Amino acid sequence: VDPTQYSRDFYKTVELWGGYQFGKFQLMGFVPYSFNRKVSDDGITRSDGLGDAMILVNYKIWTSTSLNKSETASIRNDLWIGGGVKLPTGINRVDPGSPDFNIGDFNSQAGTGSVDYIFNITHNLMWNKSGVVTNAAYRINSANRQGYKFGARTYFNISYYYTFAVAQVKIKPNAGINYQSNAINTFGNTPVEGSSGYNLNATAGLNFLYEK
């Protein structure tokens, strides 16, 4: 191992998202903004900017409401299926023709530069003011204009939440775990060594709901 050759990458993302429910349908939109920094033997490279926007449409295929054994609490189950598209709205400045080109630069861009397709299923279990949400999704990626294609990705998330009501606004703090795996990436149909893998991490957040 050559100690003069190294790289430490830092990725931060904030995301604005929202949704609206009409009947059994649910429309959701996501717009991320990324702060990426790569520290290597070549210096420091930053790639901040708007990420790839995503639109999802879900349909509620099953719902049920019942009382617990003591008949003191209502228990509700909702099951949704849906899909959507991720658009190449994010910044992607990789130039394969540049003498400084590094294939790892594709990972540090705010956007992938490709149109991708998402399929997902969500289960929501609610009792009183508490609930557990379980979500699984699969994303099929296409190649971008530079010929780079990220491998298909699988997502799984489960989280517990509690609901507080303030006037017409519902506040839902939540905590859970998130798992993501991705198949190997390709560049010009050639597999990129070391590009597949998985990530498991804890999550925490705060959701706000106003009317629908």
Side-chain angles (χ1 to χ4, degrees), residues 32-50:
Y33 193 93
S34 297
F35 303 87
N36 300 331
R37 183 165 63 101
K38 183 176 182 179
V39 181
S40 70
D41 53 287
D42 294 324
I44 298 176
T45 303
R46 299 190 65 93
S47 179
D48 302 343
L50 184 70

Side-chain angles (χ1 to χ4, degrees), residues 125-144:
L125 171 64
M126 296 164 281
W127 65 94
N128 288 345
K129 296 181 179 181
S130 298
V132 173
V133 174
T134 306
N135 183 71
Y138 185 73
R139 191 172 100 192
I140 300 174
N141 302 313
S142 64
N144 59 23

Side-chain angles (χ1 to χ4, degrees), residues 46-62:
R46 299 190 65 93
S47 179
D48 302 343
L50 184 70
D52 292 336
M54 183 168 62
I55 299 172
L56 293 176
V57 177
N58 296 320
Y59 179 76
K60 186 188 293 184
I61 62 172
W62 176 68

